[in-house]
Amino acid sequence: MYKILVADDEPGVLSLLKDYFEMNGYEVITAKNGREAVENMKRNPDMIVLDVNMPDGDGFSVCRQVRDYVSCPILFLTARIEDNDKIAGFAAGGDDYMLKPFSIDELGARVAAHIRRDHRGEAQKNVRFFGRLTIDYSAKTVAVGGKALDFAKKEFQIVELLSLNCGQVFDKERIYEKIWGYDAQGDSIVIAEHVRRIRAKLSAHGEEYHLETVWGMGYKWVK
């Protein structure tokens, strides 16, 4: 469940927004002034909706105070329409604004779009694409053309290590130490067998070229 922090000094507006977003499946944190808004940042909201005109810190000053510490989108609600106010809002670190009076459904659509965009960006940090091959480091999966490949845990860890360091050569001993650990009982020769299995699974889908042997040195991942 996504969390939205809504800050507005008008009780009617605050109640309306709380009811609306809760009905749409969000957890809503409310604040009736700038000070409460700052205090509630510790609850790590996924979206912040700030009224510009509030006591104890207007929306712009709240945004400037917290922008370096929160990465979620911030939307201003404002009755101001001058270009200078819009510029001030964006300069403070805001991502969007809506004029009062506003359409509650349009506000809801904008909030949903910002959250989707923000979390899609986070997800992409954990995914890399190599042509038809996709590696999801969070889910620990490898897929080719959308079809998941069946990798054992150690096989995936080898793929993860090499692909996150694309182009860098790792010898068998270093791979063994990083994945099995310095104190593990075994032989780095096991790496060659794991690489053979990984390559066979990739080869079945025409993607074996990603795992390249550098003769006399080790292995590397290529795009």
Side-chain angles (χ1 to χ4, degrees), residues 4-184:
I4 301 177
L5 170 58
V6 179
D8 198 300
D9 66 330
E10 296 182 52
V13 173
L14 203 58
S15 177
L16 171 68
L17 295 179
K18 185 176 190 297
D19 290 345
Y20 175 82
F21 285 117
E22 285 182 343
M23 284 174 56
N24 283 275
Y26 297 96
E27 177 183 342
V28 182
I29 308 160
T30 60
K32 60 181 180 292
N33 54 51
R35 178 182 51 77
E36 287 186 6
V38 172
E39 288 175 356
N40 278 303
M41 296 298 168
K42 63 186 178 185
R43 298 178 64 179
N44 299 315
D46 298 288
M47 179 82 197
I48 300 169
V49 177
L50 289 176
D51 180 34
V52 170
N53 295 310
M54 291 187 295
D56 295 331
D58 64 27
F60 293 163
S61 63
V62 169
C63 187
R64 283 192 294 268
Q65 183 176 346
V66 305
R67 182 76 280 185
D68 289 341
Y69 305 98
V70 298
S71 60
C72 69
I74 296 176
L75 182 149
F76 292 116
L77 295 177
T78 177
R80 300 175 181 175
I81 58 174
E82 291 82 3
D83 286 343
N84 285 343
D85 291 314
K86 299 175 187 176
I87 293 169
F90 290 124
D95 299 282
D96 200 357
Y97 70 93
M98 284 192 69
L99 297 177
K100 290 182 175 181
F102 53 86
S103 161
I104 189 73
D105 289 327
E106 181 183 350
L107 175 61
R110 289 199 191 190
V111 165
H114 278 294
I115 289 177
R116 277 198 309 272
R117 190 178 301 117
D118 193 53
H119 283 264
R120 184 166 61 239
E122 288 182 5
Q124 288 176 346
K125 294 176 186 176
N126 295 316
V127 177
R128 291 196 183 183
F129 302 93
F130 302 92
R132 295 172 57 242
L133 188 145
T134 304
I135 304 175
D136 186 330
Y137 300 101
S138 295
K140 300 193 181 303
T141 59
V142 179
V144 176
K147 180 179 175 58
L149 307 188
D150 184 21
F151 280 112
K153 180 179 179 180
K154 296 296 187 188
E155 292 169 358
F156 178 82
Q157 288 176 326
I158 292 173
V159 170
E160 180 179 40
L161 172 66
L162 296 178
S163 62
L164 286 175
N165 298 277
C166 198
Q168 184 176 340
V169 179
F170 288 81
D171 60 32
K172 295 188 186 79
E173 289 73 20
R174 189 174 177 199
I175 294 172
Y176 189 85
E177 288 173 354
K178 282 188 167 292
I179 293 174
W180 273 262
Y182 290 97
D183 300 325

